[in-house]
Amino acid sequence: MGRVTVQRRILRLRETGDSRRMDVLAAEEPLEIRLNGAPLTVTMRTPGDDFDLAAGFLVSEGAVGAAGDIESIRYCAGATEDVRNTYNVLDVRLSPWVTPIATSLERNFYTTSSCGVCGKASLDAVRTVARWEVASDPVKMDPSVISELPDRLRAAQRVFDRTGGLHAAGLFTPGGNPLCVREDVGRHNAVDKLVGWALREGMLPLSSMALMVSGRASFELVQKAVMAGIPVLAAVSAPSSLAVELAAESGLTLLGFVRGNSMNVYTGEARLDAR
C-alpha cells in the first residue's frame, strides 16, 4: 500500500532564525481505475481507502447503486514492467447484470486532485441521471447542529493534524453524529471515498443525511451528493454558481460559509428546523 504521508527535509525561515528540519507532507500518487479490465480513469489521490474511492466514483458516474452491483475490486498484480504491484492500479469487476460505462474517447476521464470535472466533454456530460429523488427527502436539521459540523469534521481529520494539507468529507446524521469521515488531497476524492464506503456497507441511498466538506462546494460535489441520495450539503467555503444551480434543480439543501454560528443558505431553506 502507498504511504499516506511522506517526509522531506526543508529550510524553515523564521524571524527568530533559520533552521533545517523534517516536514511531513500529505502523499499524492496516481490511481488508475480499470473497469472489467479496461482503463477508465486516472486520478491523483492520497493512498488509502482506494476500494471506496473506486466504488464512490462509479456511483457518481451512475454506473452502480448497490453493493451487489460490484462483483470484485482488486489491485492489479504486475502493474509495472518488472511485475511489481504498485498498489496504484485497481480493477473493478461489475456484476453480469450491470451495464458498464462506455469508455469512449468522448469522455476524458483524467482527473486532477484539485478539480474532478476538468476534462469532461461538456456540462451535459456531468448532469447524470440520479437514481434517487432528494427533493422529496423530508429531513429537517437545526442550524445550531449544522454550525457544529465543521468542528466535528476537523476533530476527525487525523492526517490533516500531521500535514495541514488534506481535504475532508464527513457524513452526519440529522442530529450531528458522524458516521464516516474521509480525507484526501482532492476534495472530490474525499467525497468518493465516503460514498464508496456507504455503497460497500449497503447504505445507499443516504436519505436524511448531511454531507460536510472542508473546502468549497463545487458543481461536482453537489452532483456526487445528489447521486448518493444525500439531501443536505454544507461547506466551509463558498459554492460555485453551477453548484447552486444544480442544487436548486435537484432539490438539495446547499449551505456555504458554515463558520461559527453563521452560514449562507443558497437552496432548500425549508429543511432548516427551528427558524
Side-chain angles (χ1 to χ4, degrees), residues 141-149 152 260-261 263 273-275:
M141 291 193 70
D142 193 312
S144 64
V145 171
I146 296 172
S147 67
E148 295 174 355
L149 297 187
R152 294 182 182 184
N261 293 320
M263 65 193 73
D273 205 3
R275 297 299 290 175

Side-chain angles (χ1 to χ4, degrees), residues 88-149:
N88 285 333
V89 182
L90 279 181
D91 186 31
V92 182
R93 296 282 170 171
L94 300 182
S95 297
W97 58 83
V98 179
T99 302
I101 295 175
T103 56
S104 68
L105 294 179
E106 294 177 0
R107 299 288 300 275
N108 177 0
F109 275 103
Y110 176 73
T111 307
T112 71
S113 61
S114 60
C115 177
V117 290
C118 294
K120 298 274 189 172
S122 67
L123 182 61
D124 290 339
V126 292
R127 292 186 183 274
T128 318
V129 178
R131 294 171 182 262
W132 301 289
E133 179 62 60
V134 299
S136 59
D137 196 305
V139 67
K140 297 279 189 179
M141 291 193 70
D142 193 312
S144 64
V145 171
I146 296 172
S147 67
E148 295 174 355
L149 297 187

Side-chain angles (χ1 to χ4, degrees), residues 16-96:
T16 54
D18 303 344
S19 63
R20 295 190 180 275
R21 50 167 287 184
M22 297 301 293
D23 193 33
V24 179
L25 307 175
E28 183 176 27
E29 296 181 8
L31 176 69
E32 178 183 337
I33 300 174
R34 298 176 182 175
L35 191 61
N36 295 333
L40 176 64
T41 185
V42 177
T43 185
M44 301 301 295
R45 98 302 188 194
T46 299
D49 302 306
D50 288 340
F51 286 14
D52 290 342
L53 172 57
F57 176 81
L58 291 176
V59 171
S60 68
E61 292 297 324
V64 299
D69 291 341
I70 295 177
E71 186 174 90
S72 66
I73 306 177
R74 66 177 182 85
Y75 288 105
C76 295
T80 61
E81 290 184 1
D82 57 1
V83 200
R84 288 185 300 109
N85 191 339
T86 63
Y87 296 99
N88 285 333
V89 182
L90 279 181
D91 186 31
V92 182
R93 296 282 170 171
L94 300 182
S95 297

Side-chain angles (χ1 to χ4, degrees), residues 117 120 122-128 187 216-226 233 238-247 249-250 254:
V117 290
K120 298 274 189 172
S122 67
L123 182 61
D124 290 339
V126 292
R127 292 186 183 274
T128 318
R187 61 175 64 85
R216 63 185 180 88
S218 64
F219 175 93
E220 187 191 24
L221 295 195
V222 171
Q223 181 209 12
K224 290 179 182 296
V226 170
L233 171 58
S240 68
S241 61
L242 284 179
V244 175
E245 180 181 331
L246 180 60
E249 290 178 0
S250 305
L254 178 60

Side-chain angles (χ1 to χ4, degrees), residues 151-163:
D151 288 341
R152 294 182 182 184
L153 180 66
R154 176 67 181 84
Q157 289 187 254
R158 285 177 285 184
V159 181
F160 182 89
D161 286 337
R162 299 159 60 192
T163 66

